[in-house]
Amino acid sequence: MSDTLQSFDPTLYEIIEGERSRQLSTINLIASENYVSPVVREAMSSVLTHKYAEGYPGKRYYAGCSEVDKVESMARDRCKKLFNAEHANVQPHAGSQANMAVYAAVLEPGDTIMGMSLREGGHLTHGHGVNFSGRFFKSAPYAVDPDTGLIDYQEVERLANQHRPKMIIAGASAYSRTIDFERFAKIAHSVDAFLLADIAHIAGLVATGLHPTPVGHADLVTSTTHKTLRGPRGAFALSSPELAQALDRGVIPGTQGGPFLHAIAAKAVCFELAMQPKFHTYQKNVISNAQELSRAMTERGYNVVTGGTDNHMFIIDLRAQDITGRAAAILLEKAGIVVSASCIPFDPAKPWITSGIRFGTPAMTTRGMGLQDMHKIAEFVDQAIKAGKDEAALATIKKAVDLFCNKFPLFVY
Ligand SMILES: Cc1ncc(COP(=O)(O)O)c(C=O)c1O
């Protein structure tokens, strides 16, 4: 048996190295991606991956959990401190699993849930028909205002009164404006529904006070740790003390088996990093970069949904450019710019095709990019979209993007 991955499995090693150089040489505007600190990766690849520990600290189904109990307790305490929450569960493997656990905690199959529809910016797990959330529960989605692209709270209230859901979900994958969790809580509680705040995208902003927190308003909060929070791929859930037991049972035995202790250790590191002043500065820069990039795109004639952003992302409506979101994502990748195709509100195109693209700045801000760099990125994007099917022009832009990216290492702190 060889010592290193490189000597034991050179083909796989080469692929991983290829991915490293792809990440280094491309402008990554995917709003849900980020680059983690080396200390997060160190915890992630530790011996903790060996340990089975079904249950919770102090009450495990397996022996030998003394050390991992400390790890999970640490992660839980830091998570509670970071979000000023009374109870945290740090075991959910990913955002979808955190949502599933919450549903298992407080809902029965067949109950009605009310989340933002996928097309208008919600997530699959908020009640979409192809997902467990739309198959096991009745879904009564809300949209956004067709003129402004903003959440219409009066309409949410009207729908809540009409459908009497057992749970309302506030949170989105593609929404660039501040979410009024307090207002959502009032609506939910007026119809005796639970409010789940899914802060998967904005967790870093919430942790640093740059987006109002749902804690204290929502009954349950879920989040990923790998987007703006800049931690390992994973998730967590928060609740009031009254719902703590139900939440924990929703995770295990409700929906998961053994926890990933290596990931939980990496979450503990991520929570600690997020409490440092530098992380606050980082989140501020993420927002100012998103606002600058949105302005720079608007100046070049692009239509930004809602006219701008309050957070780390925004959506561009490409109908005026006469190109679909899917086609734009493909040609931008040829130019070294990685984005996700995204529905625009009331999108006439199919969800796979889309009329928009979503831009986010968490990853490029981690690499140390600032306001001037956002103008450079806007210029590259505009050039690539105008180049269209001109492969030679796209290859020339790719070379310039390569040179530009060379100046920025993957993680700057
Ligand atoms: C709002 C929201 N919730 C949940 C999730 C699911 O997270 P995961 O991909 O980790 O399952 C996402 C992922 O994009 C999301 O945007």
Side-chain angles (χ1 to χ4, degrees):
M1 185 71 181
S2 308
D3 281 330
T4 65
L5 184 63
Q6 185 173 16
S7 55
F8 172 69
D9 200 340
T11 310
L12 179 62
Y13 180 84
E14 283 307 313
I15 295 169
I16 296 172
E17 285 308 298
E19 172 59 11
R20 185 199 306 279
S21 75
R22 186 198 66 80
Q23 290 181 10
L24 271 168
S25 63
T26 48
I27 294 170
N28 181 4
L29 298 178
I30 294 190
S32 48
E33 290 185 8
N34 215 330
Y35 306 115
V36 301
S37 157
V39 288
V40 167
R41 283 193 10 220
E42 194 179 334
M44 194 71 183
S45 61
S46 66
V47 293
L48 295 170
T49 194
H50 303 153
K51 189 70 196 105
Y52 239 112
E54 279 178 8
Y56 291 102
K59 195 172 175 209
R60 305 280 194 186
Y61 290 89
Y62 289 75
C65 290
S66 57
E67 298 307 314
V68 295
D69 273 7
K70 291 181 207 160
V71 171
E72 186 167 344
S73 299
M74 237 169 116
R76 227 162 40 178
D77 289 345
R78 288 180 185 175
C79 186
K80 285 191 318 194
K81 189 170 165 202
L82 181 62
F83 290 96
N84 199 18
E86 292 188 273
H87 178 70
N89 187 309
V90 292
Q91 291 196 8
H93 302 325
S96 301
Q97 280 62 46
N99 287 345
M100 190 182 234
V102 160
Y103 300 162
V106 296
L107 302 179
E108 293 299 329
D111 281 346
T112 300
I113 59 172
M114 220 179 101
M116 189 188 269
S117 60
L118 186 76
R119 202 167 270 238
E120 274 67 64
H123 188 256
L124 277 174
T125 55
H126 296 179
H128 195 278
V130 298
N131 182 258
F132 79 90
S133 58
R135 292 178 60 209
F136 302 160
F137 303 101
K138 279 192 220 112
S139 176
Y142 59 91
V144 291
D145 182 287
D147 297 325
T148 60
L150 301 174
I151 294 170
D152 178 347
Y153 293 92
Q154 279 180 353
E155 177 63 3
V156 174
E157 189 165 15
R158 191 190 67 73
L159 288 169
N161 279 306
Q162 181 185 336
H163 297 288
R164 312 291 301 184
K166 183 99 176 274
M167 176 178 278
I168 294 181
I169 303 138
S173 303
Y175 186 70
S176 63
R177 295 299 182 175
T178 301
I179 297 175
D180 189 343
F181 292 118
E182 193 174 351
R183 183 104 187 250
F184 262 114
K186 281 199 184 117
I187 297 170
H189 297 154
S190 73
V191 294
D192 287 330
F194 292 105
L195 178 67
L196 163 63
D198 179 347
I199 59 167
H201 260 270
I202 55 171
L205 281 62
V206 170
T208 47
L210 297 170
H211 186 293
T213 182
V215 175
H217 302 298
D219 303 284
L220 294 140
V221 177
T222 54
S223 180
T224 58
T225 43
H226 49 266
K227 303 184 205 271
T228 50
L229 202 52
R230 206 162 67 175
R233 197 151 286 276
F236 63 89
L238 309 173
S239 78
S240 59
E242 298 78 59
L243 289 176
Q245 201 186 1
L247 172 60
D248 287 353
R249 288 188 60 76
V251 176
I252 176 167
T255 52
Q256 289 192 174
F260 298 172
L261 267 315
H262 59 302
I264 290 173
K267 290 175 206 179
V269 178
C270 143
F271 299 142
E272 187 63 28
L273 286 168
M275 282 186 261
Q276 299 186 1
K278 279 183 197 165
F279 191 72
H280 187 269
T281 309
Y282 162 67
Q283 294 295 337
K284 266 171 65 177
N285 293 343
V286 166
I287 298 173
S288 53
N289 278 344
Q291 291 172 338
E292 194 74 3
L293 185 55
S294 139
R295 264 194 297 274
M297 292 305 296
T298 308
E299 277 163 22
R300 285 169 174 77
Y302 291 83
N303 182 9
V304 173
V305 174
T306 81
T309 178
D310 301 329
N311 59 28
H312 62 298
M313 66 151 100
F314 58 92
I315 322 292
I316 296 180
D317 177 348
L318 287 169
R319 286 174 301 174
Q321 278 70 32
D322 205 19
I323 183 169
T324 65
R326 178 70 42 204
I330 291 169
L331 73 83
L332 284 171
E333 187 169 359
K334 288 183 184 165
I337 303 158
V338 188
V339 305
S340 32
S342 172
C343 286
I344 55 166
F346 304 95
D347 203 325
K350 293 205 170 82
W352 172 248
I353 302 297
T354 79
S355 301
I357 40 178
R358 188 185 64 172
F359 279 9
T361 50
M364 292 302 95
T365 309
T366 291
R367 291 185 68 173
M369 292 188 193
L371 300 181
Q372 283 315 312
D373 302 308
M374 297 303 114
H375 287 272
K376 193 78 198 143
I377 291 175
E379 198 179 306
F380 285 136
V381 169
D382 188 36
Q383 283 172 357
I385 289 186
K386 287 190 174 132
K389 294 200 170 91
D390 184 343
E391 299 284 337
L394 292 172
T396 306
I397 301 165
K398 168 105 188 73
K399 276 199 193 120
V401 166
D402 249 14
L403 280 176
F404 171 72
C405 288
N406 266 340
K407 292 188 290 183
F408 303 96
L410 273 195
F411 188 86
V412 180
Y413 207 34

